[in-house]
Amino acid sequence: MQMITVLGATGSIGVSTLDVVARHPDKYAVFALTAHTQIDKLAEQCEQFSPKFAVVGNAALANQLQTKLRVRGSRTEVIYGVDALCQVSSDAAVDTVMAAIVGAAGLVPTLAAVHAGKKILLANKEALVMAGGLFMQAVADSGSVLLPIDSEHNAIFQCLPADYGRSPGIGMNSGVEKLLLSASGGPFRGMSLEQMHAVTPDQACAHPNWSMGRKISVDSASLMNKGLELIEACWLFAVPEQSIDVVVHPQSIIHSLVQYSDGSVLAQLGNPDMRTPIAHALAWPQRIESGVANLDLFDVARLDFEKPDMQAFPCLGIAREAAQAGANAATILNAANEIAVQAFLDQRIGFTQIASVVAQTLNSQVINEPESLEAVQESDNQARLYSSAYIKSLEK
Ligand code: NDP
Ligand code: MG
């Protein structure tokens, strides 16, 4: 029996994770479920999965949830705050942690799980983007098993040699020539920059193939998501940014590919449903049923590929430059993007201004190698302050 903590249980990934877990009560049990504010949804999940702990954002919410749970006869104990998130991520009873909090808020609890040597199912790409060097060092030091949930990275993981990362043949020494990162192109594929000036948050969140939280949906629309994924792939697979090509593939059936030096290209295909990578990582190296319908290639009929439009989607180029710059550039990129995306969702800036906020913030900050978690957090904080002030100046 694998004991699981789901960080971000009430989100899109959290709900898909619990859907897979519920299909295999003989294999998985839930130790803790966490949310930020959605306590009604968390109460329902607690009733279904009877975790030992439920974690929420603050004391008032914890009291409300505890009362709701008592009324329902649940014995789940409610705790709150970042320390509580770290506690349920590192408890000795836990085998596996699904890291599915959105944004930088996921870093500290995910690192707690890494330090405790847990098996980490990583959905929270922002944690790796903002602190890649420290994160991967912590994984190496603790012997924690890190499995990618992001569909592209999970696909690449499946297409790499089984001993990749555990043998000296890592990165370009393994016969791997290129990683080909799939991108759907998002809801605005084919549009020009001008045509995107007036798009609304709801239009940006209406992804053609995937149903996801609002932050990653906006990132997918701007292609910043692909930029974050490029940086994520550099860290996960120890390859330089130049070895990763982005391939726009509107059907989202091929989730990514690995090109080898002998001319072989391996791809992972499936219906676009996050329960596939979640089930893959939960059971790895075994396979379990995920609830995802079998792929019907006759139904799919055709697969299209195109190059990304770097003019219409400047975020992808900005992220590539940040990957090249290394040091704390990705920390700054991620922080500025989180602030800009929230400002766009709050209708304080236009969609195309997201790229300007990120570029401007990157230009304004000192690029240096963060030697500690505190240095990463300081960089993140400075970038947030700068981008927030810059957005205020745009509003005037
Ligand atoms: P959602 O917005 O749907 O869910 C986010 C979860 O995190 C919720 O449980 C939310 O709680 C919780 N949360 C939000 N802010 C905080 C905070 N400050 N402290 C603690 N918990 C918090 O996001 P997704 O599920 O879509 O995405 C989660 C992560 O997975 C992201 O990093 C995303 O990039 C990544 N990912 C998602 C994919 C998808 O298909 N959705 C695909 C690939 C990667 P509450 O509900 O109470 O607000
Ligand atoms: Mg992805």
Side-chain angles (χ1 to χ4, degrees):
M1 189 64 96
Q2 258 188 68
M3 272 297 222
I4 301 178
T5 282
V6 183
L7 300 174
T10 48
S12 162
I13 292 288
V15 167
S16 292
T17 302
L18 291 176
D19 182 279
V20 177
V21 164
R23 290 165 194 275
H24 304 279
D26 54 320
K27 291 190 171 69
Y28 309 107
V30 177
F31 178 78
L33 296 174
T34 88
H36 196 45
T37 57
Q38 291 201 73
I39 55 169
D40 288 324
K41 197 164 177 181
L42 188 58
E44 277 169 31
Q45 293 178 334
C46 288
E47 207 171 4
Q48 188 183 350
F49 293 94
S50 307
K52 191 161 170 16
F53 292 104
V55 184
V56 293
N58 63 47
L61 289 170
N63 280 332
Q64 287 173 37
L65 177 61
Q66 191 72 76
T67 309
K68 279 180 201 289
L69 289 178
R70 259 193 226 110
V71 172
R72 295 178 190 218
S74 156
R75 288 214 229 130
T76 297
E77 184 183 332
V78 183
I79 51 180
Y80 66 90
V82 177
D83 289 348
L85 291 172
C86 293
Q87 182 191 324
V88 300
S89 300
S90 58
D91 193 287
V94 174
D95 303 297
T96 302
V97 174
M98 165 55 82
I101 289 174
V102 61
L107 176 63
V108 169
T110 306
L111 272 182
V114 171
H115 289 307
K118 304 303 183 194
K119 174 173 158 186
I120 315 286
L121 313 190
L122 185 73
N124 179 207
K125 67 191 83 181
E126 296 92 345
L128 193 56
V129 168
M130 79 182 278
L134 289 169
F135 195 106
M136 294 310 288
Q137 189 57 53
V139 169
D141 291 346
S142 70
S144 178
V145 173
L146 181 62
L147 298 170
I149 294 299
D150 215 343
S151 58
E152 297 77 3
H153 306 74
N154 183 271
I156 290 168
F157 180 86
Q158 294 196 46
C159 297
L160 285 171
D163 63 351
Y164 188 86
R166 290 189 302 280
S167 71
I170 186 168
M172 300 299 108
N173 299 326
S174 56
V176 171
E177 210 152 87
K178 274 210 155 145
L179 304 183
L180 306 176
L181 203 57
S182 294
S184 70
F188 306 141
R189 184 176 62 87
M191 280 168 73
S192 68
L193 202 56
E194 289 68 43
Q195 288 172 312
M196 281 182 263
H197 278 323
V199 298
T200 64
D202 283 345
Q203 287 172 317
C205 290
H207 197 279
N209 306 336
W210 300 94
S211 145
M212 313 180 283
R214 282 173 84 78
K215 195 268 174 177
I216 184 177
S217 295
V218 175
D219 286 345
S220 300
S222 70
L223 288 203
M224 181 58 96
N225 183 50
K226 218 42 62 184
L228 298 175
E229 290 184 353
L230 181 98
I231 298 167
E232 182 186 13
C234 291
W235 287 117
L236 283 173
F237 307 119
V239 297
E241 154 279 323
Q242 311 88 285
S243 308
I244 305 175
D245 284 352
V246 173
V247 181
V248 175
H249 162 48
Q251 291 91 354
S252 296
I253 295 296
I254 296 184
H255 298 133
S256 280
L257 316 88
V258 177
Q259 184 182 314
Y260 286 90
S261 49
D262 62 1
S264 299
V265 178
L266 302 191
Q268 187 263 353
L269 287 73
N271 286 315
D273 187 320
M274 289 306 293
R275 290 176 299 174
T276 293
I278 290 167
H280 169 266
L282 268 175
W284 181 84
Q286 259 102 53
R287 299 270 177 178
I288 55 170
E289 197 268 324
S290 66
V292 178
N294 285 335
L295 181 64
D296 183 341
L297 280 176
F298 300 107
D299 199 29
V300 174
R302 58 179 284 178
L303 302 171
D304 295 300
F305 306 97
E306 49 191 67
K307 288 195 169 148
D309 180 343
M310 303 300 279
Q311 266 72 49
F313 298 96
C315 285
L316 181 54
I318 298 170
R320 222 183 238 290
E321 280 170 26
Q324 263 161 24
N328 59 345
T331 314
I332 298 164
L333 171 97
N334 178 66
N337 182 57
E338 284 191 28
I339 295 289
V341 168
Q342 192 55 54
F344 167 67
L345 287 172
D346 295 340
Q347 296 184 292
R348 295 176 54 210
I349 59 172
F351 181 72
T352 51
Q353 285 177 306
I354 294 173
S356 327
V357 172
V358 175
Q360 189 71 25
T361 307
L362 269 165
N363 284 336
S364 75
Q365 303 291 298
V366 180
I367 303 296
N368 54 26
E369 190 64 47
E371 303 289 346
S372 64
L373 179 60
E374 290 69 32
V376 168
Q377 287 167 327
E378 178 56 20
S379 242
D380 172 87
N381 194 34
Q382 288 303 326
R384 280 168 201 270
L385 289 174
Y386 182 89
S387 47
S388 301
Y390 181 65
I391 287 167
K392 274 215 179 82
S393 77
L394 289 176
E395 284 178 314
K396 279 189 187 137

